[in-house]
Amino acid sequence: WLLVPMQQLVSWGAAGAMVFGGVVPYIPQYRDIRRTQNAEGFSTYVCLVLLVANILRILFWFGRHFESPLLWQSIIMIITMLLMLKLCTEVRVSNELNVKRRSFAAADSKDEEIKAPPRRSYLDFDLNYFWHWSKFTDYVQCVLTFTGVTGYITYLWLDSSLFVETLGFLAVFTEAMLGVPQLYRNYQNRSTEGMSIKMVLMWTSGDTFKTVYFILNQAPFQFSICGLLQVFVDIAILLQVYLYSHYPQKPVSHTAHPASTKAL
């Protein structure tokens, strides 16, 4: 008589972990950015990857219903990534203004022509500054545009099983590439400074749990394959943490860019 209630509790606990577990790794990173007022160590392309992946996953649900916890996980993750983007944008713009203010205070009359970095907008259509915009509203406009276009295409092709399966694969494959922007950023900097190690550890444990959950609950095969790939990328980032902390390397020299393009 205890077996059935225990099974229900375990099932509810697993579902709750799936819904909210994906958000937990970003809490320490969010707090670190707020505390230090420095977002340089966090790649905002992580937010881009997760926004695209979860929007596609929600659209995939309309063609092939999967478990509700996975659907709610996508909705909550989208909200979380928008909050991360809002914070990173505010911090980056604030730092740009502070740099300009310090330069002006230390400048002589010849240097008074120093101007603030140009304000980059979503409507500039400049690929060199894509996802480096100066206002949070530009990111929201981009996300809404992507959602509208992909939603309309999905509506037209919803009866095609090939399209639906491809959409599901793109959703989970994009999410599997989540750690790649951070992996590349660490490689560029030859350092993991500014990146929350707690976040990566939570990524690894969460992705491992998620992959096992997919396999045990017989989720669509795309979910299981890309879950394994995601775990491998997490392990690669942890190897970077070990390598760069025990064997510090000289940072790679980069071509000078405007202040607004420093962060990926």
Side-chain angles (χ1 to χ4, degrees):
W1 60 273
L2 283 175
L3 185 60
V4 174
M6 286 297 294
Q7 287 178 338
Q8 288 180 341
L9 285 176
V10 171
S11 177
W12 291 340
M18 281 301 301
V19 172
F20 299 102
V23 175
V24 174
Y26 298 96
I27 296 176
Q29 183 69 71
Y30 187 92
R31 294 178 63 184
D32 286 347
I33 293 174
R34 284 189 65 90
R35 177 175 53 83
T36 62
Q37 288 298 294
N38 184 356
E40 291 293 319
F42 177 72
S43 173
T44 53
Y45 278 112
V46 170
C47 300
L48 173 62
V49 169
L50 279 175
L51 285 169
V52 171
N54 284 282
I55 290 170
L56 293 180
R57 186 194 286 184
I58 291 173
L59 295 176
F60 176 54
W61 182 85
F62 287 99
R64 181 178 176 183
H65 292 330
F66 46 80
E67 290 194 335
S68 298
L70 298 179
L71 179 63
W72 282 107
Q73 181 200 44
S74 294
I75 296 172
I76 291 176
M77 184 61 73
I78 289 173
I79 296 172
T80 303
M81 289 303 102
L82 290 175
L83 291 174
M84 286 291 295
L85 275 175
K86 186 175 186 297
L87 176 64
C88 290
T89 305
E90 290 174 351
V91 168
R92 187 176 69 246
V93 172
S94 175
N95 288 340
E96 289 172 1
L97 293 176
N98 289 336
V99 169
K100 189 240 178 190
R101 199 172 294 124
R102 287 197 299 270
S103 298
F104 178 77
D108 56 23
S109 58
K110 293 182 180 180
D111 295 327
E112 288 182 356
E113 295 181 359
I114 295 177
K115 297 180 180 179
R119 311 290 286 184
R120 298 296 173 182
S121 169
Y122 164 64
L123 298 177
D124 288 341
F125 299 108
D126 189 343
L127 293 179
N128 294 324
Y129 295 96
F130 177 78
W131 213 248
H132 300 299
W133 303 309
S134 304
K135 292 182 179 180
F136 173 66
T137 53
D138 292 314
Y139 293 95
V140 175
Q141 289 176 20
C142 181
V143 170
L144 291 177
T145 302
F146 176 78
T147 304
V149 172
T150 53
Y152 180 68
I153 294 173
T154 302
Y155 174 75
L156 294 178
W157 291 87
L158 199 58
D159 294 333
S160 171
S161 59
L162 177 62
F163 173 83
V164 171
E165 293 300 326
T166 303
L167 184 65
F169 175 77
L170 290 176
V172 291
F173 181 76
T174 303
E175 186 175 358
M177 295 294 102
L178 165 64
V180 173
Q182 192 67 55
L183 188 75
Y184 179 68
R185 184 171 188 79
N186 296 341
Y187 172 76
Q188 273 193 318
N189 296 338
R190 294 293 194 270
S191 170
T192 56
E193 184 179 358
M195 181 195 73
S196 173
I197 299 176
K198 292 180 182 178
M199 177 186 73
V200 182
L201 289 172
M202 290 179 181
W203 273 358
T204 308
S205 58
D207 292 337
T208 303
F209 170 80
K210 181 172 61 177
T211 304
V212 173
Y213 181 89
F214 290 157
I215 296 172
L216 293 179
N217 286 274
Q218 298 180 345
F221 76 97
Q222 302 101 317
F223 285 53
S224 301
I225 294 174
C226 294
L228 290 171
L229 178 60
Q230 200 166 355
V231 172
F232 291 145
V233 174
D234 295 339
I235 293 174
I237 296 177
L238 291 176
L239 289 175
Q240 283 184 325
V241 173
Y242 173 80
L243 177 65
Y244 295 147
S245 61
H246 287 76
Y247 306 99
Q249 301 184 26
K250 185 178 179 180
V252 178
S253 59
H254 301 289
T255 306
H257 293 284
S260 61
T261 63
K262 284 183 180 178
L264 274 177

